[in-house]
Amino acid sequence: MQTLISPFVSHSLRLAPPLPRNSLLNNYHQASPIRLSSHFSTTSLRLFNSGAAAAASRDSEMTTEDGKDPRIAKIASSIRVIPDFPKPGIMFQDITTLLLDTEAFKDTIALFVERYQGRGISVVAGVEARGFIFGPPIALAIGAKFVPMRKPKKLPGKVISEEYSLEYGTDKMEMHVGAVEPGERAIIIDDLIATGGTLAAAIRLLERVGVKIVECACVIELPELKGKEKLGDAPLFVLVSSA
Amino acid sequence: MFAVENGLQGDPRLKAISDAIRVIPHFPKTGIMFQDITTLLLDPVAFKHVVDIFVDRYKHMNISLVAGVEARGFIFGPPIALAIGAKFVPLRKPGKLPGRVISEEYELEYGSDRLEMSMEAVKSDERALIIDDLVATGGTLSASINLLERAGAEVVECGCVVGLPKFKGQCRLKGKPLYVLVEPSQFDELTL
């Protein structure tokens, strides 16, 4: 499709490490899923323990190197920048154009799946609403469960809640009680990290119940806003860094 | 039309899907037995069954666009779109989509709401699917059909994980077929 590159923003690209290019569809159809009980509140979960220890020791290997993955440039160019949305002065990074580009969307998911498969990750948490678009395909491909992190009052049943700051005022993020178990290994997905407030709230929610955050993963980072500093010990992985 | 009426009778995946959906009574208000699909998402095997069944149905229907309604349609739509090689188009609450949008109003029980779609989403002659987690009144799906048709797409079908029994047989929404995997689960006190 016609990709729109704003004249106002130059994308400086942080490239994903060079990894063998697996077909997304192969990953999707052949991934061996983790068998979990369907009613998390009453039966215990059989965690992916056998791989967890080995996977944990490999976490330090998951660093971003300067490699030349050709998929990244295509992904970056498929993202549309809309000036002055939602208000004047903000250069909005619009991923809906990425979703219209079937190759770019497939490559985006493949890059995350290649990074996270086989690492003993049993939880993919996605932040409402655009994290709901990227999280589930990754979860399905790596055999993890998908946990939605939602605005207040959207999740039925028992929830835990974490407040976080906005530019003016505060908001709350909620997660279901019992969705995750202590000791599980999680990644948190959102389309973009700006100030890091939302991701920090998601980290706190998961850590409160004893989950280990392996990494936060976003398509786009706005590095000037220094969101990475709010993430504590949790590493950040992004495909596109938009200066 | 339900999956059991169309070739999947006895398919154990349907029971696995139905069993994985939790019922929360009186949410968001008294009298509503809320079908909570988040428990389905915690069961990777059952979640994969949902996507597999939709993908098997749609992969040879020449679909170029999958539209999903905010927010739970965002969970089911993209995996289907990716597997059949279609683009994904989010249908959103007002004010969320940047750029030029078209907007459709629809009725709620009390009052009305609006759904928006980007004007860049649809090229001419696109064959589209609309995906949502559940169909009850059909109001949201009808608004979605309107948006896609106004933009020039042909809506081939609406697909939902859960649907009220009234959608059995040849029931259509604005003339479009509806495909539903399971009926609402029953509330079981033991599971809470």
Side-chain angles (χ1 to χ4, degrees):
Chain A
M1 62 147 284
Q2 175 63 44
T3 56
L4 302 167
I5 303 173
S6 163
F8 302 106
V9 178
S10 64
H11 289 286
S12 61
L13 305 176
R14 181 179 330 155
L15 303 175
L19 291 166
R21 182 174 180 169
N22 294 318
S23 146
L24 169 70
L25 291 179
N26 284 340
N27 283 340
Y28 172 74
H29 288 297
Q30 292 168 18
S32 50
I34 300 166
R35 180 82 218 173
L36 298 172
S37 69
S38 43
H39 292 292
F40 53 65
S41 57
T42 55
T43 54
S44 62
L45 300 172
R46 179 162 63 86
L47 301 176
F48 197 4
N49 278 322
S50 58
S57 72
R58 291 200 303 274
D59 281 352
S60 57
E61 296 169 13
M62 268 197 328
T63 50
T64 302
E65 301 155 24
D66 267 336
K68 300 255 184 254
D69 193 310
R71 293 174 286 180
I72 298 275
K74 192 171 178 352
I75 290 165
S77 68
S78 73
I79 297 164
R80 177 171 68 157
V81 183
I82 307 268
D84 302 319
F85 182 89
K87 48 184 214 231
I90 303 220
M91 302 296 283
F92 187 84
Q93 303 283 324
D94 179 20
I95 50 91
T96 64
T97 44
L98 186 165
L99 307 175
L100 296 177
D101 181 336
T102 51
E103 284 299 308
F105 188 18
K106 188 157 81 78
D107 287 345
T108 301
I109 299 301
L111 282 160
F112 289 125
V113 169
E114 287 162 16
R115 185 174 180 82
Y116 298 121
Q117 65 192 353
R119 304 270 182 195
I121 290 164
S122 58
V123 175
V124 173
V127 180
E128 173 165 14
R130 290 184 286 262
F132 288 8
I133 295 173
F134 296 99
I138 298 167
L140 283 162
I142 71 173
K145 51 193 181 184
F146 178 70
V147 176
M149 315 292 267
R150 297 212 67 173
K151 302 278 188 212
K153 298 196 177 53
K154 300 293 187 77
L155 289 169
K158 296 199 188 110
V159 297
I160 57 171
S161 176
E162 187 72 34
E163 198 166 287
Y164 61 101
S165 298
L166 300 171
E167 192 179 3
Y168 300 107
T170 61
D171 202 346
K172 275 191 170 150
M173 180 184 295
E174 294 185 342
M175 179 175 78
H176 265 138
V177 168
V180 296
E181 298 271 296
E184 291 207 79
R185 288 161 54 79
I187 55 172
I188 307 174
I189 305 286
D190 206 352
D191 65 323
L192 180 145
I193 174 172
T195 63
T198 321
L199 280 173
I203 291 169
R204 287 196 298 275
L205 275 172
L206 288 161
E207 288 187 338
R208 271 165 63 182
V209 290
V211 168
K212 156 96 176 148
I213 313 298
V214 172
E215 199 156 76
C216 293
C218 300
V219 181
I220 305 160
E221 177 189 18
L222 304 181
E224 283 172 8
L225 298 178
K226 301 195 197 318
K228 193 170 172 172
E229 293 173 9
K230 286 226 180 70
L231 306 184
D233 291 333
L236 174 67
F237 174 72
V238 301
L239 301 182
V240 173
S241 193
S242 184
Chain B
M1 170 175 58
F2 278 75
V4 288
E5 300 172 283
N6 192 42
L8 293 188
Q9 175 145 33
D11 190 320
R13 294 178 298 177
L14 294 177
K15 182 175 188 305
I17 291 165
S18 196
D19 287 349
I21 295 170
R22 174 171 76 153
V23 184
I24 306 279
H26 310 303
F27 181 91
K29 48 184 214 237
T30 314
I32 302 209
M33 304 301 276
F34 188 84
Q35 301 290 310
D36 181 17
I37 51 89
T38 63
T39 42
L40 172 68
L41 307 177
L42 297 179
D43 181 343
V45 173
F47 184 16
K48 187 167 180 299
H49 288 334
V50 168
V51 179
D52 286 347
I53 293 171
F54 282 127
V55 168
D56 284 342
R57 178 172 179 78
Y58 296 124
K59 63 189 174 192
H60 297 308
M61 285 198 191
N62 214 16
I63 307 281
S64 58
L65 186 161
V66 174
V69 180
E70 175 166 12
R72 289 184 287 264
F74 287 10
I75 295 174
F76 295 101
I80 297 166
L82 285 161
I84 68 176
K87 52 195 192 186
F88 179 70
V89 173
L91 305 180
R92 299 211 66 174
K93 305 282 187 209
K96 302 289 187 74
L97 286 169
R100 295 179 311 154
V101 297
I102 55 173
S103 173
E104 183 79 21
E105 195 165 315
Y106 64 103
E107 297 297 311
L108 299 173
E109 193 180 0
Y110 301 109
S112 63
D113 203 346
R114 297 185 85 88
L115 211 54
E116 292 185 343
M117 181 175 81
S118 167
M119 288 188 71
E120 322 293 331
V122 179
K123 306 223 178 312
S124 53
D125 296 332
E126 301 237 43
R127 285 168 56 80
L129 279 188
I130 305 171
I131 299 289
D132 206 356
D133 65 323
L134 182 142
V135 55
T137 62
T140 321
L141 283 176
S142 296
S144 306
I145 292 167
N146 284 345
L147 279 172
L148 283 160
E149 289 189 328
R150 280 168 56 193
E154 178 199 346
V155 177
V156 174
E157 193 160 89
C158 298
C160 296
V161 182
V162 188
L164 298 188
K166 69 181 182 186
F167 293 109
K168 284 186 181 162
Q170 292 306 307
C171 185
R172 291 185 162 230
L173 264 181
K174 297 190 68 64
K176 301 300 173 186
L178 188 55
Y179 184 75
V180 182
L181 299 191
V182 297
E183 291 188 40
S185 298
Q186 299 304 311
F187 175 55
D188 176 0
E189 298 209 26
L190 295 174
T191 66
L192 274 189

